[in-house]
Amino acid sequence: MAELTIYNTSKSRLETINFEFTDKNTTWFDDNVDDRDVHMITDAFGGLLISQNGYQYSVWIDDQSRAEIVYDNHAAMKLIRYYTEGG
């Protein structure tokens, strides 16, 4: 079980959660090189948790899932931009 701070997009604030990352709920990406590249996507709490390589907070997006974005790290990055940078 890991404790981490995430940015909750539906509440527009940081929150601390406890969560267990497993092969059943998480997809990892090893082909990234930049700090902003998506490192993993996780189905969590009825939404999608997206984590990047660097020191950014993981971003949680309600009503999304890995399947909805076809397990794609580029689609996950687009979601981060949309919800945190306004598009």
Side-chain angles (χ1 to χ4, degrees):
M1 182 88 46
E3 179 178 280
L4 67 148
T5 302
I6 64 166
Y7 178 71
N8 183 328
T9 60
S10 65
K11 296 179 182 178
S12 298
R13 68 176 187 196
L14 295 175
E15 295 182 340
T16 301
I17 63 166
N18 290 304
F19 193 76
E20 185 172 350
F21 298 93
T22 68
D23 290 338
K24 291 182 180 181
N25 65 18
T26 304
T27 302
W28 285 271
F29 302 100
D30 295 327
D31 60 343
N32 43 39
V33 293
D34 187 36
D35 281 350
R36 294 196 156 260
D37 286 344
V38 173
H39 171 66
M40 67 180 172
I41 55 176
T42 305
D43 292 322
F45 310 110
L48 181 65
L49 185 62
I50 305 170
S51 303
Q52 295 172 277
N53 278 340
Y55 295 103
Q56 303 87 347
Y57 293 109
S58 296
V59 176
W60 181 81
I61 301 168
D62 192 23
D63 294 330
Q64 292 288 322
S65 71
R66 293 178 300 152
E68 287 183 53
I69 63 167
V70 196
Y71 301 87
D72 183 67
N73 58 339
H74 299 290
M77 195 66 229
K78 287 179 184 178
L79 283 174
I80 287 177
R81 285 190 194 114
Y82 178 80
Y83 281 96
T84 63
E85 299 172 9

